Amino acid sequence: MSYVIDVYRGQAAVQRNPLNSALYIALFPQLIAGPIVRYHDIDRQLTDRRVTLDLLYSGVVLFVIGLGKKMLIANPLGEVADEVSAVPAGHLTAGLTWLGAVCYTFQIYFDFSGYSDMAIGLGRMFGFRLLINFDYPYIARSIQEFWRRWHISLSRWFRDYLYIPLGGNRKGVRCTYANLVVVFFLVGLWHGASWSFGVWGMVHGAFLVLERTVLGALLAEVWPPLRHAYVFLVVILAWVLLRSDDFDHALAFLAAMFGAGAGTGMEYYPALLRDREVALLLVFAAVAATPVAPWLRRRGGVIRQRVAGAGGRAVLAETAMGGAAAAYLALILVLVSMHLAAGTHNPFSYFRF
């Protein structure tokens, strides 16, 4: 679809070589869960790309970090979320449901962003420069910003190939609101053909509409940490719809989160699933979901500049920083290998959609 539409619009030239067309369609770093690569973003790279040592190194680093996200954060938290999801609706309690919802919130982010990092890293190893797919979405201060940071390739796909052709925001306020709801309803159905997926999409569409009205003006005056809390709460509650096997279970789960569950807490309770390892992992996941790593890299660059400016040995500083980075990546690989040796099947959660 992307190839045909981009050529029709004049955004890309016709591809005369069938092998290059087949390469784009079957390009494994972007199949099947993304990043969703539009043809005009990659058409020139199909015939004109080079593999450099720097690009290869950055690809390996991204791949290892993505693998660590998947195996060391997403999988353990996913086990807790799966166990909570398997609890019968009649035994759900507030504490149990919030534990499961928070674990799933971090699981789906680190699972899918880990997959994207691995895919982008693989692409770089072969000379392809694929666009970033996640940009710390959980630090967003509005649902609009969340969708500029979450699954960026999907957002751009629906914007370019559906929202704008429907009229976008060019045909008046009512049309804009209708387009947003329709697009996000279809975003939900893109994940799966059930009402829970469709409602998940419409929830996000509804908040995007609200933020274009009075809610947006109110948010602009709110203390920034409360804006973060608002986005995080909306996203967590919406994830319940995406995670549940059916709409009835999702409603029972949401009711239990707000104290209307039928569980007594005697047979199923949070302490059964929340041990010290899970608690520490949740704290680590919360920190890793913020741009701490880019900040540390910037600080490292500042330190190297100061060492060089003070007449210090810049080469020694570079070597020390490089050694620390190599040790960090090696540690991730060792821990991942241990988890792989102890487990069996490790599917990406996004493949269920």
Side-chain angles (χ1 to χ4, degrees):
M1 287 176 62
S2 178
Y3 169 75
V4 172
I5 295 171
D6 288 351
V7 170
Y8 173 78
R9 291 176 174 177
Q11 294 177 307
V14 174
Q15 179 55 253
R16 304 291 182 181
N17 189 329
L19 291 178
N20 290 331
S21 299
L23 174 60
Y24 168 67
I25 295 171
L27 187 64
F28 69 89
Q30 56 106 7
L31 293 176
I32 61 170
I36 304 173
V37 180
R38 298 169 299 183
Y39 182 74
H40 66 267
D41 288 331
I42 203 175
D43 59 334
R44 294 183 181 179
Q45 298 183 53
L46 295 173
T47 56
D48 184 19
R49 65 184 184 279
R50 291 194 310 162
V51 179
T52 65
L53 190 60
D54 288 342
L55 198 60
L56 178 64
Y57 172 76
S58 67
V60 171
V61 170
L62 262 179
F63 185 89
V64 172
I65 290 175
L67 188 61
K69 286 181 177 181
K70 161 65 177 170
M71 296 300 303
L72 305 180
I73 303 178
N75 276 13
L77 293 180
E79 292 175 3
V80 178
D82 290 343
E83 291 190 46
V84 173
S85 181
V87 173
H91 293 282
L92 292 173
T93 62
L96 195 65
T97 50
W98 277 104
L99 174 64
V102 171
C103 285
Y104 183 69
T105 296
F106 286 119
Q107 178 206 359
I108 192 171
Y109 169 63
F110 285 105
D111 188 287
F112 194 24
S113 69
Y115 177 96
S116 293
D117 288 344
M118 294 170 71
I120 295 170
L122 283 170
R124 290 186 182 185
M125 294 180 200
F126 291 92
F128 289 99
R129 298 176 183 269
L130 305 182
L131 299 175
I132 186 175
N133 205 27
F134 286 86
D135 185 20
Y136 300 100
Y138 290 159
I139 68 169
R141 298 182 182 182
S142 67
I143 300 300
Q144 294 182 51
E145 183 184 355
F146 174 81
W147 278 101
R148 289 194 294 268
R149 293 175 175 271
W150 176 274
H151 202 347
I152 299 171
S153 61
L154 177 67
S155 301
R156 289 173 175 171
W157 177 281
F158 275 91
R159 180 197 65 191
D160 293 349
Y161 300 135
L162 185 58
Y163 177 70
I164 292 177
L166 283 174
N169 57 3
R170 304 187 306 275
K171 296 184 178 181
V173 174
R174 291 185 179 180
C175 185
T176 298
Y177 296 166
N179 290 341
L180 285 171
V181 174
V182 168
V183 166
F184 274 87
F185 175 68
L186 294 176
V187 168
L189 293 185
W190 183 84
H191 288 81
S194 78
W195 278 113
S196 57
F197 291 111
V199 173
W200 170 79
M202 286 192 292
V203 166
H204 279 276
F207 274 95
L208 288 173
V209 170
L210 289 173
E211 288 182 0
R212 289 173 174 264
T213 57
V214 64
L215 182 59
L218 292 175
L219 285 175
E221 304 298 326
V222 172
W223 187 40
L226 291 180
R227 295 173 63 183
H228 290 302
Y230 145 74
V231 173
F232 203 56
L233 178 62
V234 171
V235 169
I236 288 178
L237 297 178
W239 284 143
V240 172
L241 296 167
L242 203 69
R243 176 63 182 83
S244 300
D245 295 327
D246 57 72
F247 196 58
D248 290 337
H249 186 270
L251 292 179
F253 202 98
L254 289 169
M257 291 178 73
F258 291 95
T264 62
M266 299 297 291
E267 296 183 46
Y268 300 93
Y269 48 93
L272 283 172
L273 306 172
R274 188 197 65 242
D275 55 18
R276 184 176 299 176
E277 180 182 352
V278 172
L280 289 174
L281 196 56
L282 283 171
V283 172
F284 181 78
V287 174
T290 63
V292 172
W295 180 83
L296 290 175
R297 286 195 294 269
R298 289 195 298 270
R299 291 299 302 168
V302 171
I303 292 173
R304 289 196 297 270
Q305 291 177 359
R306 288 179 178 176
V307 170
R313 297 182 178 180
V315 175
L316 184 61
E318 289 283 351
T319 303
M321 295 294 291
Y328 172 67
L329 295 176
L331 177 62
I332 292 177
L333 282 176
V334 169
L335 294 175
V336 165
S337 299
M338 292 170 61
H339 276 262
L340 285 172
T344 53
H345 188 44
N346 294 279
F348 287 94
S349 64
Y350 207 78
F351 285 176
R352 68 184 289 264
F353 303 129

